[in-house]
Structure formats: C-alpha cells, structure tokens
Amino acid sequence: MSLPSDDILTRPLGVPEPADDSLKGRLARLRAQLRPRHVHAGLGAALLASIALLFIVGDPRGGEPRVSVVIALREIPSERPRPAPEESVRTAEAELPPAPAQSSAEEVETASGVTVFRPSGTAAPSEAVVIRVPTVAVKLAAAPDPRLVERGRHGALPKLGEGRLRALDVYARPEEPGTGPRIAILLTGLGTGQAATASAIVKLPPQISLAFAPYGEVERSAARARDFGHEVLVQVPMEPFDYPDSDPGPQTLLVAARPAENADRLAWVLSRVPGAVGLTNFMGSKLMGDGAGLEPVLREVAARGLGFVDDGTAQRSLATGLAGKAKAPVARAEFVLDAVPRADAIDRELARLEAQARNKGFVLASATAMPLSIERIARWAKDLDARGLRLVPVSAALRGSGAGTRLSKAE
C-alpha cells in the first residue's frame, strides 16, 4: 500500500496529514488552531509573528509588558553663570505679561496706580526701575465721623454736629505753614475713569482737591484719594441748557422738577461720598442760572455743614450772588485751566494763574480729569515752591481764608 500523498487533493479522505516537526510545520499547525474566523488577516499575522517569536526566544518575563527606548546621550551644559553684581536686576514688573504694543510704559504705570520716580529728563527704561509710594505728610480726619452723620432714605447723610461742627471743617485738609501767594485747584470728573482717577490721585500734589461724580464705586475711589491726602468734593449733576442732549446722568437736578424731587435727588448725591467737604456742579449751566432752582440746593448745602464750589464753567451762574441769602459758603473758580484742551493752552492758563496769584495773593482754579490736564498740572506744580508759590486745598476758599477770591461766606 502506497503512502498517502502530501498533496491534499490526492490524499484519501480520513487519512491525516503526516506530522511535520520542522519550524514551518509547527507554525502551520498553530495558525490553523489559533486563527479565529472573524479576525482580520492582518491582525492574525501580527499575532502569529508574536507567538513565533516566543517559540524561538521564549518569554523570560512571563508576558510582563515592556518598552524598549533608545536614549541618545549628549553633554549637559554647565550651570548658567550668575550675573555680575553691577549687572542690572529687573524688578517684579519683568515677571508680568508684556503690555499690548500700543501701551507705553507711562500708560501701564498710570493704570497700576503707583508713582514712578526717575532722574530728571529720563524716560521709562526697559531695565530696572524703582517704584516708591509717596509718603503722606498730612493725614486727613477719618470718615465718616459719627458726630456728623445721620441716616436718610438713601443711606448716611452729612449733618451739622453739636456746636455747629461742620464736615467742611473736620474733613478739610489742613494748610501747611508758609508764606507767599497761594493757589487752590479743583480737579473735577474723577471716578468715571479708573486710569484717570488713579493718575490724578498719585501724580498730583495732595494739596489739589478732587471732585468725584456720584456714580459707580465712588466711595472707594474717594477714600483712596483721602488716603493720599487729597480732600474730596462731590459733583452734583445739574441740568445744562441742552438737556437731555447733554445729560449729566441719573439723579440730575432739573429746573422744572418739584422741589421735593430735587431735594430727594440731592440727598442721594450727598450719601455717595463720606468725608466730602462740599459739593460742586456737574454741568448745570441752566440750573446754575435759575435762582428758584439753585437757592434750595445752597440752603441744603449750608444746613448740612458743607460748602459749594462753582467750577466756573457756567457763564450765567448765580451761585455767589445767592450765597448770602442761602447762608452758604460758596466760592467760584476764576480760571478753567483746560477750557481749550491743548497742552500749549493749558500752559498759558497756568502762567496766567501764577501771575494772578502774585497780584491778588490767592486764586482758585478748576480743571477736568483729562490725562492731558493731569500731566500738564503735575509738571507745572513740581517746582512751584521754588518759584515762591504755594498750593492750598479748595477748602481754604470755602472757609474764608482765601482773601481776594470771589467768595461768599455763610453768615
């Protein structure tokens, strides 16, 4: 009987294939036993190759997963040398994200709320800078003083204390002793722009008084100004001639409003800034020229121990004329320094202000919190003492010590 043929086509049925003990045969038998019918051919081939590798070299780790990584070694550089002692050391500002390209160093410093002192004639450097918070020589009285506060519908309101104690006197910035002509400046429009407010507080001399619009987080901003030594006032939104095209904002006092309505709006304004020495107009050309509308405001100012500063922008203002009748401390600014908002025009007004102060002994001016105005006034005030002039707070005019001002004092 002949042996079965190795050809599967010629091998009789039922006769098993002869065993092949070679590596090829062993792999063939394993392929037939392990190949699932639904496994993709490529996956099966990969599995068989792995098993074949096990048959050949074995698995000394018993199937534990492992990864082979080729590590290329290179020389490790030595430690970076320390800078020499004379090398500039950057401040913490270098750790901050870079400012937008359009922001100058001065703008960043202004927004940060600090003053940067540098040698005269130098600009903001790219290297180290020294930042100092200026010390406040004169400390203002704490506010609110419980002797000068009463509760109202809108919150705490100023009032006259016992013995006619006034907020105008308690919260005023004391005048430093000295001689020579005096100048008082009121800067208005604070509180509505964060950068301008911070710039005015830290860049301007503390003798300059700051007036805040009664909106937003005005209480916090005004308190910070007082911490830096500035006495503060509150701006009262008053109706201008082109109202409502020009709108001072909510709670505006109107000529046509009922007296009780204007009184309630004024109470809201008065509640906004604890520690204020007085009020000043915010716009108001129409109301300031209307005696029937303005007189009740001045009477309320006096009854609460405050003063009123006319910022000089309303040409037909009756404030000083009504002061005696209302028994209210009132002063009017003789100069509006930035009526023409150009650097050369502001500088000219400051020169005129100096000349008037030398001539009269005292003069009161106002300006708005435009960045240009703040920059020009700060530059002008740097060597004012060397020129024989002194800055004093606006309360000096309201309290009657500003001889020669357009002042009407309460009787």
Side-chain angles (χ1 to χ4, degrees):
M1 181 178 178
S2 63
L3 293 173
S5 171
D6 289 339
D7 187 355
I8 191 173
L9 297 177
T10 60
R11 186 185 313 125
L13 293 176
V15 179
E17 180 182 1
D20 186 355
D21 290 330
S22 67
L23 177 60
K24 181 177 180 182
R26 294 167 65 189
L27 288 175
R29 288 195 299 275
L30 284 170
R31 185 185 298 115
Q33 293 172 9
L34 297 176
R35 181 195 304 151
R37 295 181 180 274
H38 59 280
V39 175
H40 189 276
L43 181 58
L47 182 60
L48 287 172
S50 301
I51 295 173
L53 193 58
L54 290 176
F55 271 96
I56 297 171
V57 300
D59 186 10
R61 298 197 182 186
E64 179 182 349
R66 59 188 182 275
V67 177
S68 298
V69 179
V70 178
I71 300 176
L73 299 178
R74 61 184 179 86
E75 182 181 358
I76 299 176
S78 61
E79 182 181 355
R80 183 180 178 181
R82 296 181 179 180
E86 65 272 10
E87 187 175 332
S88 297
V89 180
R90 295 183 180 274
T91 62
E93 289 182 341
E95 303 295 329
L96 300 174
Q102 68 270 19
S103 297
S104 67
E106 288 79 8
E107 291 171 334
V108 174
E109 292 160 3
T110 295
S112 69
V114 297
T115 302
V116 180
F117 295 90
R118 302 189 183 90
S120 178
T122 61
S126 58
E127 296 296 325
V129 295
V130 178
I131 300 177
R132 301 187 184 95
V133 178
T135 57
V136 181
V138 176
K139 187 75 173 177
L140 302 188
D145 187 320
R147 300 172 298 171
L148 303 173
V149 174
E150 68 181 9
R151 299 300 301 178
R153 189 171 80 88
H154 300 290
L157 295 174
K159 71 169 186 177
L160 279 172
E162 292 185 11
R164 298 190 64 80
L165 184 66
R166 302 184 302 177
L168 173 58
D169 300 314
V170 173
Y171 299 138
R173 176 187 172 89
E175 284 190 54
E176 292 92 336
T179 59
R182 296 177 300 156
I183 296 173
I185 296 178
L186 177 65
L187 195 77
T188 65
L190 279 300
T192 55
Q194 183 178 3
T197 299
S199 178
I201 290 173
V202 301
K203 285 187 174 181
L204 294 177
Q207 295 86 352
I208 292 180
S209 303
L210 305 181
F212 289 81
Y215 307 120
E217 297 184 357
V218 61
E219 182 175 349
R220 179 184 300 177
S221 298
R224 185 162 182 260
R226 297 186 79 251
D227 288 341
F228 273 73
H230 300 275
E231 66 180 21
V232 300
L233 294 87
V234 189
Q235 290 184 273
V236 183
M238 296 180 173
E239 181 180 0
F241 279 114
D242 56 349
Y243 181 85
D245 292 335
S246 294
D247 188 353
Q251 308 293 341
T252 295
L253 277 60
L254 304 173
V255 170
R258 298 189 307 274
E261 184 177 359
N262 273 347
D264 185 71
R265 294 182 176 190
L266 181 59
W268 180 85
V269 173
L270 290 169
S271 70
R272 300 293 291 157
V273 179
V277 299
L279 305 177
T280 186
N281 56 295
F282 185 17
M283 298 189 186
S285 55
K286 185 174 182 178
L287 184 70
M288 296 277 284
D290 184 88
L294 182 61
E295 185 180 342
V297 175
L298 298 181
R299 287 189 180 277
E300 185 70 4
V301 166
R304 296 196 173 276
L306 303 170
F308 184 85
V309 177
D310 178 343
D311 71 359
T313 58
Q315 297 300 318
R316 303 177 187 176
S317 172
L318 301 176
T320 54
L322 291 170
K325 186 177 180 181
K327 295 181 170 52
V330 176
R332 177 176 170 85
E334 299 180 56
F335 290 86
V336 179
L337 298 174
D338 54 1
V340 179
R342 295 197 318 266
D344 60 334
I346 295 172
D347 291 344
R348 280 197 300 270
E349 288 302 295
L350 289 168
R352 289 182 60 226
L353 182 67
E354 279 195 40
Q356 187 79 323
R358 296 181 190 281
N359 181 46
K360 296 176 61 176
F362 183 94
V363 66
L364 171 62
S366 72
T368 57
M370 295 187 299
L372 178 62
S373 302
I374 296 170
E375 186 269 329
R376 301 315 298 177
I377 294 171
R379 181 188 296 261
W380 165 82
K382 281 182 179 178
D383 57 350
L384 198 62
D385 291 342
R387 302 199 299 274
L389 296 163
R390 286 194 297 140
L391 278 174
V392 295
V394 168
S395 59
L398 293 171
R399 298 166 71 192
S401 59
T405 63
R406 297 178 64 180
L407 168 70
S408 294
K409 187 179 177 182
E411 298 177 357

